[in-house]
Amino acid sequence: MSKLFILLGILAFFSFSLADTSLSKKERKAAINYFKETEKDLVREVSGLSENQLNWKPADSVWSISNCLEHISLSEKNIFDWAMTTLSEPANPAKRAELKYDDEAIKKMVTDRSFRAQAAEGFRPTGQLGNSSNSLAIFKERRKAAIKYIKSTKDDLRNHFGSTPMGLVDTYQVLLFLAGHSRRHTLQIRELKAMPGFPRE
């Protein structure tokens, strides 16, 4: 009888292992590091800026640093919500064959400032978050929640998918897209700070 229980235990262990579709330690660590790194970069770029600097625009059609911060914060929620929406459909490992890009390629494409895109409705800065300090505080709050999710989730992020102009991406890549998006606009902030006419204080 004891041998039977041991055998059943072994079978149960292997069944669990085969069914475990959560992220690998390497994937989880890589995502967490990327989220923390991109947050740190953004905070560093805007730290110590005056209201004059935050609201400066080289032209009416160009976003200020304050506009960028609001857009980043709005996107932090909207893109994360999109990632969670992809999990509502059944997992479909067969669709992995349709993926065109690996994780590094996704990050490079999102942060490529040579490609410009128009922000969709709901992502555009309208002043709804108040000032830059509020936008940054909300961003940090949302980023903290996203990192907490990545640290603990058992969701199958590799076998759920979303459609983008770049093609099919898995949910894990949607999350990388989210972190990369904040880096994209951190680079935009850096560009603004380097422009002629940017206020010295």
Side-chain angles (χ1 to χ4, degrees):
M1 183 63 74
S2 60
K3 289 183 179 179
L4 178 60
F5 281 122
I6 292 171
L7 179 60
L8 289 172
I10 292 171
L11 287 173
F13 171 79
F14 279 106
S15 296
F16 175 79
S17 297
L18 290 172
D20 185 7
T21 54
S22 58
L23 293 175
S24 68
K25 288 183 179 179
K26 183 178 179 181
E27 289 171 325
R28 202 180 297 275
K29 182 178 179 181
I32 291 168
N33 286 346
Y34 192 49
F35 268 70
K36 288 182 176 180
E37 177 187 306
T38 51
E39 177 183 6
K40 184 178 178 181
D41 286 349
L42 174 61
V43 172
R44 182 171 58 241
E45 283 298 330
V46 301
S47 180
L49 295 180
S50 67
E51 285 299 312
N52 190 33
Q53 291 169 321
L54 289 165
N55 293 302
W56 179 81
K57 293 182 177 185
D60 289 340
S61 60
V62 180
W63 284 356
S64 66
I65 293 174
S66 182
N67 292 151
C68 290
L69 282 170
E70 184 177 347
H71 171 68
I72 291 168
S73 186
L74 291 171
S75 301
E76 197 78 8
K77 178 184 186 300
N78 293 340
I79 298 173
F80 185 81
D81 287 350
W82 168 38
M84 296 303 97
T85 299
T86 66
L87 299 173
S88 62
E89 296 293 325
N92 187 356
K95 293 184 76 171
R96 292 204 61 76
E98 299 177 36
L99 295 178
K100 294 182 180 179
Y101 306 104
D102 64 16
D103 299 343
E104 289 304 311
I106 294 292
K107 291 193 284 187
K108 286 178 182 177
M109 282 189 288
V110 176
T111 56
D112 181 5
R113 293 281 300 151
S114 67
F115 170 75
R116 303 300 170 97
Q118 188 76 23
E121 194 71 35
F123 288 79
R124 296 172 193 161
T126 61
Q128 62 187 284
L129 299 184
N131 58 30
S132 300
S133 295
N134 286 342
S135 292
L136 187 61
I138 291 168
F139 162 76
K140 288 180 178 179
E141 209 173 277
R142 290 172 175 171
R143 179 55 60 96
K144 183 179 179 181
I147 292 172
K148 183 179 179 181
Y149 168 78
I150 296 168
K151 281 182 177 179
S152 60
T153 185
K154 300 297 182 184
D155 291 335
D156 185 0
L157 303 184
R158 286 302 196 180
N159 291 309
H160 288 85
F161 304 89
S163 297
T164 75
M166 301 179 294
L168 196 71
V169 294
D170 65 36
T171 307
Y172 181 81
Q173 291 176 331
V174 175
L175 292 171
L176 295 181
F177 183 99
L178 167 57
H181 176 268
S182 67
R183 169 157 287 172
R184 176 181 179 83
H185 290 285
T186 299
L187 294 173
Q188 183 179 0
I189 289 169
R190 194 173 295 166
E191 290 167 10
L192 282 164
K193 290 168 67 178
M195 284 182 178
F198 183 76
R200 292 186 177 181
E201 56 183 26

